[in-house]
Amino acid sequence: MAGVVCAPQLYSSISSHRRYPGHPLDTTLNTDIDDADTVSLLKTFFLLVATNNNCAAFKMPHSFGYRARTRDMFKRGFKEHGPIKLSTYLINYRVGDIVDIKANAAQQKGMPHKYYHGRTGIVYNVTQHAVGVIVYKVVGNRYIEKRVNLRTEHIRHSKCRQEFLDRVKRNHDAHVAAKEKGERVSLKRVHVLPREAHTVSVAENAPQTMVPVPYETTI
């Protein structure tokens, strides 16, 4: 049970509480204690001692394997369970392609380490069933070029440059259209400008007072 306070921790918090003559920790448990916090802590402490709580929820993980703590990371998506689709094996990969690494738990062979799950790299080698991907890993204050070999089930073409390619095509079309008209066009990206100043008329637009809707209880 996550978030359960164990008996030793609670006892230390009670021990650090202020002491005064007649404190229940100095003597026996009295019934005329006027400190509500101390009474509540004592009740919880003795309840945990009675139930023999072993504080198992606060222990550190003891498994540090290659796939440790990857239950949610390698989980299949919604309505994506079952055998791998055949279209996965019909995708062509070439040297220089930018791919995203996403492990597919249905194929245990050629899986990436959990560090590379969700990373983007460049294909540098292509074989019959797998590809080699270059990924840059941050180690300390430097980048290290890592070369990982993955099966094609665990990669997909990245869309990180799609917006850039669309903008290149859009700018080319705008340039060609402007050249035919003999005009000059600016192809630079411009941020959204604030709205221009304007006057609001109240001739046919009577001002309205906004008030909260009264709360109604229907039984």
Side-chain angles (χ1 to χ4, degrees):
M1 295 175 60
V4 177
V5 179
C6 62
Q9 291 178 343
L10 184 59
Y11 180 78
S12 62
S13 64
I14 296 175
S15 300
S16 62
H17 204 274
R18 67 180 186 273
R19 299 294 182 87
Y20 53 86
H23 194 276
L25 293 182
D26 294 338
T27 60
T28 59
L29 181 61
N30 299 325
T31 58
D32 56 347
I33 301 175
D34 57 351
D35 195 340
D37 296 338
T38 305
V39 172
S40 177
L41 287 174
L42 282 172
K43 288 182 179 179
T44 309
F45 171 72
F46 289 119
L47 178 62
L48 290 176
V49 172
T51 56
N52 193 15
N53 187 358
N54 57 0
C55 304
F58 295 93
K59 291 184 178 180
M60 296 295 291
H62 61 276
S63 176
F64 299 94
Y66 280 168
R67 296 185 59 169
R69 289 170 292 281
T70 58
R71 173 175 294 183
D72 295 333
M73 183 183 298
F74 291 164
K75 182 176 62 175
R76 303 288 297 276
F78 179 67
K79 291 187 177 181
E80 294 181 359
H81 299 274
I84 301 175
K85 298 179 181 179
L86 295 179
S87 59
T88 306
Y89 304 99
L90 301 178
I91 301 176
N92 296 324
Y93 295 97
R94 297 178 176 83
V95 176
D97 289 349
I98 301 177
V99 295
D100 293 333
I101 301 175
K102 182 180 180 181
N104 190 339
Q107 175 59 268
Q108 290 80 35
K109 295 181 180 179
M111 287 188 69
H113 188 266
K114 57 185 177 182
Y115 173 83
Y116 302 103
H117 181 79
R119 310 270 175 181
T120 303
I122 302 176
V123 176
Y124 75 94
N125 184 34
V126 179
T127 60
Q128 185 176 4
H129 300 289
V131 297
V133 183
I134 297 176
V135 184
Y136 289 95
K137 182 178 181 180
V138 178
V139 179
N141 59 348
R142 65 194 186 280
Y143 282 92
I144 294 181
E145 182 184 278
K146 308 289 287 188
R147 295 173 180 259
V148 293
N149 298 317
L150 312 169
R151 287 181 67 99
T152 55
E153 293 89 344
H154 308 296
I155 61 173
R156 61 188 62 185
H157 285 290
S158 179
K159 298 180 181 179
C160 61
R161 297 184 75 246
Q162 189 61 41
E163 183 180 358
F164 168 74
L165 297 177
D166 294 342
R167 185 164 57 89
V168 170
K169 184 177 183 303
R170 186 168 59 251
N171 290 349
H172 176 72
D173 296 340
H175 177 71
V176 171
K179 188 174 182 180
E180 293 177 355
K181 298 179 181 178
E183 301 175 353
R184 295 181 61 88
V185 61
S186 177
L187 303 177
K188 295 182 179 180
R189 290 175 290 181
V190 181
H191 58 80
V192 179
L193 299 176
R195 293 178 296 177
E196 298 181 356
H198 60 280
T199 303
V200 178
S201 176
V202 294
E204 297 180 358
N205 184 21
Q208 300 179 4
T209 303
M210 305 297 294
V211 296
V213 178
Y215 181 77
E216 296 180 359
T217 303
T218 303
I219 299 177

